[in-house]
Amino acid sequence: MQPQPHPMIPPRTRRRASSNGKRNWTPWLIVGGTATLGIVLFIAMLGFLGVLYMSANQMPSGVSVAGIPLGTSASAAKTALAALSQRKISLTDADRNWPVSLADLGVTVNVDATLKAAQTAPTGAALQPVYTVNLSQTQNGLVSISALVNIPPTTGNPPQKGRAMDIPVTLDRLRIDAAGELADGVLNLDMIDVDPPAPDPAAPYTGATSTYTVQAGQELGLIAKDFNVDVADIVKLNNISNPDLLYVGQALTIPAAGEYEPTQADAPVPPTNTGKSIVVSTEMQRIYAYEDGKLVRSHLASTGLPNTPTVKGDYSIYVKYLADDMSGPGYFLPQVPYTMYFYQGYGIHGTYWHNSFGRPMSHGCVNLPTPEAEWFYNWASVGTPVRVI
């Protein structure tokens, strides 16, 4: 039997020593240094992030928006900016104004955009907010306030123009530059004048009428005064193309039930409330007869011209003539009918030389149509008080 060979036994591994006989620590130092550097970098990163966070929450000192200080923190600034949307502004038209909130006008403050602008602003900066305008809501707000702002036109005499908001123009101004328009807290409204509506065509006259025949020397103004109606109404009712052209015998339809008879309330106060009395009004060109203070008759008269006015005051009839010749500088009038003198040569009498009653025409006397003079002559007696005003 042959002997088996011994297995190979590997030689003992020997630990290699450094040249100086000590162990080699270099790998461990490399690992430890790397770990330490990582920790330092991590701490530095945390510090940097902390600085960023702190700086993001800081505001430059003294910054204000729309006059409101924002403080030194972003959170306080956000609170202040959020409240801005509720502040009041004044809508104005000349000296009129109406306070409304920005929210009522559909205007809000863009807090984030305004805060960003504030954070990058220099110390002590005064800024305006960055606004967001909801034009549809703004229009609704302006329409609502227009009920107070608008002034309707009137059709009185004279007619008055109105004023109305020009809402589209105001909307466009806010769209283009809301911050500039609202910077001082005042929004001047755009207004337009509104003309009064054209009067409705007058309805045809359907009231009472009278027929009057034009006499020599008369004109439309005097006829209108006799009936106490407007000249224009006579012109319209009779389709007169030229009011200055009338002819004797022309028949006119007058929009009145007979000639004008003043009431007691329209008449002046008589000189006495006992017995008969007469009042002559130079302003109204009218004579009035009273019994016991009650008006019983009245008619148009013609008193003195400006250069020969009728005397004013309280007098009484001192003599009566069925007819009397009258003369003076530049005139002679024979047999003037139904003459009653009340002061010197001043009298009440009939008139056959003109028909312009209702305007001054005489040398101082009180001219009446002859039928009226006859009535007063028969009614009044010597001693009847006469007051000229």
Side-chain angles (χ1 to χ4, degrees):
M1 179 179 218
Q2 291 183 356
Q4 298 291 324
H6 291 287
M8 293 293 292
I9 298 174
R12 177 183 291 180
T13 302
R14 292 189 179 183
R15 194 173 299 230
R16 195 171 182 181
S18 63
S19 60
N20 57 6
K22 296 181 179 180
R23 290 185 176 180
N24 188 354
W25 295 100
T26 300
W28 293 104
L29 290 174
I30 292 173
V31 172
T34 301
T36 301
L37 180 60
I39 293 171
V40 171
L41 290 175
F42 178 73
I43 293 173
M45 181 64 70
L46 288 177
F48 176 73
L49 292 175
V51 170
L52 285 180
Y53 173 78
M54 292 298 293
S55 62
N57 196 44
Q58 291 296 311
M59 299 292 300
S61 63
V63 174
S64 64
V65 174
I68 298 176
L70 296 185
T72 58
S73 70
S75 57
K78 280 188 176 182
T79 302
L81 292 175
L84 269 178
S85 292
Q86 299 303 318
R87 73 172 177 141
K88 296 284 187 180
I89 65 167
S90 183
L91 305 181
T92 64
D93 170 37
D95 58 349
R96 303 185 301 153
N97 66 84
W98 302 267
V100 298
S101 70
L102 288 176
D104 291 336
L105 287 181
V107 179
T108 55
V109 175
N110 187 327
V111 174
D112 292 337
T114 305
L115 183 63
K116 183 177 180 180
Q119 287 177 316
T120 58
T123 300
L127 308 177
Q128 289 300 322
V130 178
Y131 288 113
T132 299
V133 182
N134 184 328
L135 291 177
S136 177
Q137 189 176 342
T138 304
Q139 176 175 287
N140 292 338
L142 292 175
V143 169
S144 296
I145 199 71
S146 67
L148 298 175
V149 175
N150 292 352
I151 301 173
T154 63
T155 56
N157 188 17
Q160 298 291 328
K161 288 187 174 184
R163 288 177 67 75
M165 292 172 58
D166 193 339
I167 293 177
V169 173
T170 303
L171 282 175
D172 202 47
R173 286 167 47 205
L174 288 173
R175 178 188 66 80
I176 294 171
D177 184 17
E181 295 292 345
L182 303 173
D184 58 356
V186 174
L187 178 61
N188 295 314
L189 297 172
D190 291 278
M191 304 293 292
I192 54 176
D193 290 336
V194 181
D195 290 327
D200 294 332
Y205 182 77
T206 58
T209 61
S210 300
T211 300
Y212 183 79
T213 302
V214 179
Q215 302 177 39
Q218 288 190 316
E219 61 185 58
L220 206 53
L222 297 177
I223 296 171
K225 191 171 184 179
D226 200 16
F227 286 87
N228 197 35
V229 297
D230 194 281
V231 170
D233 292 337
I234 300 178
V235 169
K236 183 175 182 179
L237 193 58
N238 292 272
N239 295 316
I240 298 174
S241 58
N242 187 344
D244 295 327
L245 295 180
L246 297 181
Y247 58 87
V248 175
Q250 181 178 1
L252 297 175
T253 301
I254 310 296
E259 294 186 25
Y260 170 62
E261 292 289 343
T263 65
Q264 185 80 26
D266 299 332
V269 177
T272 177
N273 289 325
T274 303
K276 298 179 179 180
S277 60
I278 295 171
V279 173
V280 176
S281 171
T282 58
E283 178 183 2
M284 301 301 296
Q285 292 294 293
R286 185 171 282 275
I287 189 170
Y288 305 84
Y290 300 85
E291 286 190 34
D292 297 326
K294 302 297 182 184
L295 181 67
V296 294
R297 194 175 184 91
S298 179
H299 201 277
L300 289 177
S302 289
T303 61
L305 292 162
N307 291 333
T308 55
T310 303
V311 291
K312 295 181 180 180
D314 287 322
Y315 311 99
S316 61
I317 296 171
Y318 68 88
V319 67
K320 298 170 59 177
Y321 298 103
L322 278 174
D324 190 30
D325 294 340
M326 293 185 179
S327 61
Y331 73 93
F332 174 73
L333 299 169
Q335 296 297 289
V336 176
Y338 305 111
T339 298
M340 300 186 294
Y341 290 104
F342 58 86
Y343 175 73
Q344 296 181 0
Y346 295 89
I348 301 168
H349 57 72
T351 308
Y352 55 76
W353 53 91
H354 76 79
N355 274 312
S356 297
F357 303 105
R359 66 159 53 151
M361 289 292 292
S362 77
H363 290 86
C365 288
V366 179
N367 293 179
L368 295 178
T370 298
E372 286 299 313
E374 182 181 9
W375 185 93
F376 274 87
Y377 184 91
N378 292 330
W379 174 80
S381 57
V382 171
T384 298
V386 176
R387 172 174 288 174
V388 181
I389 60 177

